[in-house]
Amino acid sequence: MEKIIKFIKDTFNTNEFIPLHEPRFIGNEKKYLNDCIDSTFVSSVGAYVDRFEKDFAEYVGSKYAVATVNGTSALHIALLLVGVEQDDEVITQPLTFIATCNAISYQKAHPVFIDVDGDTMGLSPTALLAFLNKYAEKRDGVCVNKSTGRIIRACVPMHTFGHPCRVDEIQAICEEWGIFLIEDSAESLGSFYKGKHTGRFGKLGAFSFNGNKVVTSGGGGVIVTDDEVLAKRAKHLTTTAKVPHPYEFVHNEIGYNYRMPNLNAALLVAQLEQLDRFLENKRQLAGIYKTFFANIENISFVNEPNDAQSNYWLQAVLLENKEQRDLYLKETNDNGVMTRPVWRLMNELDMFKHCFAENIENAKFLEKRLVNIPSSVRL
Ligand SMILES: Cc1ncc(COP(=O)(O)O)c(C=O)c1O
């Protein structure tokens, strides 16, 4: 254990506390923030929001991008846009951050938990298909769960720690079964699957720019889509559903104040300029960890899956069992090296205990063994 702690400290070239993931502001952040303040447009209207949306769409290769106040609101609006409503079911994975399930719950829909793949840690297309073959049928083009009578409206896979799941297979299954695919790409900016950016396989994708992400706006999110109608509705709904008018206040439906402030967008535009540099640095760190852990018994480094180019947002290792994991967590944290276990499985939380969660062996296995290790860009 001592050897591991020393190695991580040497890698980050410090004897001070090493956080899990620190942001880096080493580009035009201050310049753009000052410019934003000088313009007085610091709030929900401003040139940086428009510039960010254009830059982001270009980077991921989508036709449209709509900036939001955080990733959770991006997910919420994406679900609303494909028609998820009260008593619908939404398929997702038990191994995810709470925000995925919160967004589903905001629409008063029910999460259905399907297992992840052991290698990608994201939703398993094999498990998804097995579930649908056993429990679902298509009625007039709509997928219905025969055991509950509810409509299975959407499927939300998540790219865990930035490692892409087998999203092309998931996309094909969703299409066949009449289910809308929305990717929770909160963690996967800069991650590609079979050459295509994550978040672009389904109808809509949602990203987060929370302070711990690859690039940050302090708080922020974005919805991406190739569908012009959905993009326009996303913009309308996230900006209080105000009908454009030079001075009148007319709102034509219940909307949300989910727009990203210009101040946050200014920070993000500067961060996005450095994304490629950050990604290269994170990949380099993954290589260093991989080589080191190859010679450590009972711990394995989590590599990017086949066919994927991962952003290596949070680097991770797998321990032998829960006891070893707990020991590893304690020793590292006690010695100034921040490490964290993966999230509790969603179906174990009080709010989602009643939800469907059969055959989730991979998720259970990973939950007991996965640990995130320091992953900041070293620049
Ligand atoms: C998987 C996942 N989904 C959704 C979110 C929500 O993003 P935010 O914190 O920006 O609301 C996050 C990150 O925080 C996340 O990791």
Side-chain angles (χ1 to χ4, degrees):
M1 191 65 73
E2 249 170 60
K3 189 174 155 193
I4 297 173
I5 291 165
K6 180 172 180 323
F7 178 78
I8 295 177
K9 287 188 171 176
D10 288 349
T11 301
F12 282 84
N13 198 20
T14 181
N15 249 329
E16 311 272 299
F17 170 75
I18 305 173
L20 199 62
H21 199 289
E22 268 183 325
R24 288 283 176 272
F25 303 115
I26 50 178
N28 286 320
E29 286 86 355
K30 286 180 184 163
K31 183 171 166 226
Y32 295 166
L33 281 171
N34 276 330
D35 178 47
C36 184
I37 292 166
D38 290 344
S39 77
T40 75
F41 284 91
V42 295
S43 195
S44 50
V45 176
Y48 281 108
V49 176
D50 299 338
R51 185 166 156 191
F52 160 70
E53 288 176 343
K54 189 174 151 289
D55 291 354
F56 194 84
E58 208 172 286
Y59 181 82
V60 300
S62 67
K63 284 197 179 145
Y64 307 97
V66 177
T68 59
V69 73
N70 54 43
T72 311
S73 57
L75 268 178
H76 177 202
I77 293 297
L79 289 162
L80 191 158
L81 285 175
V82 299
V84 171
E85 57 188 20
Q86 181 155 8
D87 275 338
D88 281 351
E89 291 182 359
V90 177
I91 293 170
T92 191
Q93 54 201 63
L95 189 83
T96 185
F97 179 59
I98 187 72
T100 320
C101 295
N102 280 342
I104 294 168
S105 305
Y106 297 162
Q107 284 306 99
K108 298 187 166 55
H110 303 268
V112 171
F113 297 112
I114 303 297
D115 206 6
V116 295
D117 278 326
D119 57 345
T120 70
M121 303 174 293
L123 190 72
S124 161
T126 315
L128 172 64
L129 194 56
F131 166 79
L132 291 170
N133 280 330
K134 185 170 175 190
Y135 288 104
E137 68 181 13
K138 247 175 123 175
R139 291 182 200 157
D140 300 327
V142 175
C143 186
V144 176
N145 184 333
K146 289 182 285 185
S147 66
T148 61
R150 294 177 185 139
I151 293 174
I152 302 173
R153 189 79 66 184
C155 173
V156 187
M158 197 277 280
H159 304 291
T160 305
F161 308 146
H163 296 300
C165 64
R166 293 186 171 81
V167 65
D168 60 339
E169 289 177 48
I170 294 171
Q171 179 192 32
I173 295 167
C174 286
E175 223 167 278
E176 189 192 328
W177 283 86
I179 299 169
F180 290 107
L181 172 62
I182 294 170
E183 286 169 80
D184 183 343
S185 308
E187 307 181 353
S188 66
L189 173 58
S191 299
F192 296 78
Y193 190 67
K194 295 186 178 170
K196 187 168 169 177
H197 201 290
T198 52
R200 294 207 48 240
F201 287 79
K203 211 61 185 148
L204 300 134
F207 294 81
S208 164
F209 306 107
N210 184 35
N212 62 355
K213 295 300 187 294
V214 176
V215 294
T216 184
S217 48
V222 71
I223 301 166
V224 297
T225 183
D226 286 342
D227 185 317
E228 186 183 359
V229 175
L230 288 183
K232 283 189 172 149
R233 270 203 49 75
K235 180 74 99 183
H236 188 61
L237 284 170
T238 52
T239 53
T240 68
K242 184 177 182 298
V243 180
H245 190 278
Y247 46 83
E248 290 248 27
F249 287 100
V250 180
H251 305 260
N252 61 1
E253 60 186 307
I254 305 276
Y256 299 83
N257 181 10
Y258 278 175
R259 184 140 201 208
M260 178 188 287
N262 201 37
L263 205 53
N264 300 70
L267 186 65
L268 193 50
V269 168
Q271 285 268 285
L272 214 50
E273 289 173 350
Q274 300 161 83
L275 176 59
D276 285 340
R277 194 176 162 207
F278 290 173
L279 291 173
E280 196 186 313
N281 194 271
K282 291 175 82 64
R283 178 163 288 275
Q284 199 182 62
L285 178 63
I288 293 169
Y289 277 142
K290 186 181 171 181
T291 309
F292 174 74
F293 283 108
N295 297 315
I296 302 284
E297 240 178 82
N298 303 332
I299 302 184
S300 52
F301 179 69
V302 178
N303 261 312
E304 65 192 347
N306 290 340
D307 299 322
Q309 184 183 324
S310 174
N311 65 2
Y312 281 104
W313 167 53
L314 283 190
Q315 317 272 355
V317 288
L318 261 181
L319 280 289
E320 282 283 286
N321 52 46
K322 187 173 180 302
E323 292 68 38
Q324 275 203 29
R325 180 202 74 170
D326 291 345
L327 184 70
Y328 182 82
L329 284 167
K330 181 164 174 20
E331 289 278 318
T332 47
N333 283 294
D334 281 356
N335 285 286
V337 172
M338 185 169 167
T339 59
R340 285 288 180 268
V342 74
W343 318 281
R344 282 277 166 86
L345 297 185
M346 292 299 111
N347 54 294
E348 288 172 7
L349 303 180
D350 280 349
M351 309 81 83
F352 304 116
K353 265 185 182 149
H354 62 284
C355 298
F356 179 92
E358 268 178 27
N359 304 325
I360 52 164
E361 299 317 315
N362 288 336
K364 286 181 180 166
F365 180 93
L366 291 167
E367 192 225 6
K368 290 193 190 77
R369 294 167 176 82
L370 266 179
V371 172
N372 289 123
I373 55 179
S375 308
S376 305
V377 166
R378 295 169 312 132
L379 286 169

